[in-house]
Amino acid sequence: MISSSFPIVAYLYWLSLLVVTTGSLVFAILAFRRQKPQFAAISGGALAAALMIAALPSPGGATVSGVLLGMVALGLAVVGGGPAALLTLRLATNNSVPQGQHGGILVENGGAPVTPEPGRASGVDAGAPDAPAAPAATGAPDAEGTAGTHGAFVHEVLRGGLMIGILERLAVAGAILAGFPEAIAVVVAIKGVGRFTELATAEARERFIIGTLASLIWACACAALVQIALT
């Protein structure tokens, strides 16, 4: 009688884990598409709940369920890390720096942030791995170099964060799932070298550090979910 209950326990364990993780992925997709921080917070809470479920003693039966969980967790790492980083940056910076046209942030050449125009949403987490593109604050077709609201010459830094963030989390989560976590150091080194020349201002450095750490933590948590459940 006791042994016959093990398949049921294993079924409920993996079913609950897959449902909660899939729910986190669904809210992450909604947060990514609609840019709603509330959805990102719900996705993070669901991921935390999935980690707590995975921490329970595994009843086995992970042949197919483990593969499915790995696929869902990998998708969650790639998609959910962007909204999570955006939410972290919003909480940390309070939208204090305006965004650029190509997913970066606008800073003055002297290092001071550009004053946002009245009625314009400022500081949409341009240093985050998944900052969405938006029109430049000055209305120019390309915000590579434009005049700021005070007449100072401004330029956009930390461009192209969307694709960089996706590839970064895919590489990190994939490396952990493949049993090669040392590759994380290579990913961070490549990103740091590539962004080095853009980190002259305090605003750029702040967003680079916060956005990168938030993205890496999310990807590691998603990959750890699978590792914990399988062991």
Side-chain angles (χ1 to χ4, degrees):
M1 185 69 179
I2 297 178
S3 60
S4 64
S5 65
F6 284 131
I8 299 177
V9 173
Y11 175 79
L12 292 176
Y13 174 84
W14 289 106
L15 177 62
S16 59
L17 194 54
L18 284 169
V19 168
V20 175
T21 307
T22 303
S24 179
L25 176 60
V26 170
F27 279 102
I29 294 174
L30 291 175
F32 183 83
R33 293 178 61 87
R34 301 185 181 181
Q35 299 298 318
K36 296 291 186 181
Q38 297 88 345
F39 291 146
I42 296 174
S43 177
L47 176 58
L51 286 169
M52 288 189 290
I53 296 174
L56 298 174
S58 176
T63 305
V64 178
S65 301
V67 174
L68 292 176
L69 180 63
M71 295 173 61
V72 175
L74 186 61
L76 178 60
V78 173
V79 177
L86 291 176
L87 177 60
T88 303
L89 277 167
R90 283 192 177 119
L91 295 176
T93 64
N94 197 26
N95 292 338
S96 58
V97 180
Q99 62 179 347
Q101 183 182 10
H102 305 286
I105 56 173
L106 296 178
V107 296
E108 293 183 2
N109 282 1
V114 181
T115 303
E117 295 179 359
R120 172 182 169 82
S122 62
V124 187
D125 319 309
D130 279 355
T138 57
D142 190 343
E144 185 66 30
T146 54
T149 56
H150 294 198
F153 193 80
V154 300
H155 66 286
E156 183 177 347
V157 297
L158 301 177
R159 298 158 51 115
L162 173 61
M163 186 55 63
I164 292 175
I166 290 176
L167 294 176
E168 172 189 49
R169 291 186 295 275
L170 179 61
V172 169
I176 295 176
L177 292 177
F180 188 56
E182 294 83 0
I184 298 176
V186 178
V187 174
V188 175
I190 293 174
K191 185 176 181 180
V193 171
R195 292 295 202 188
F196 179 76
T197 57
E198 301 181 81
L199 303 180
T201 63
E203 295 78 22
R205 290 192 297 270
E206 180 183 32
R207 277 154 182 76
F208 177 80
I209 293 173
I210 295 175
T212 299
L213 288 179
S215 179
L216 290 176
I217 290 173
W218 182 272
C220 290
C222 293
L225 171 64
V226 181
Q227 296 285 5
I228 295 172
L230 294 177
T231 55

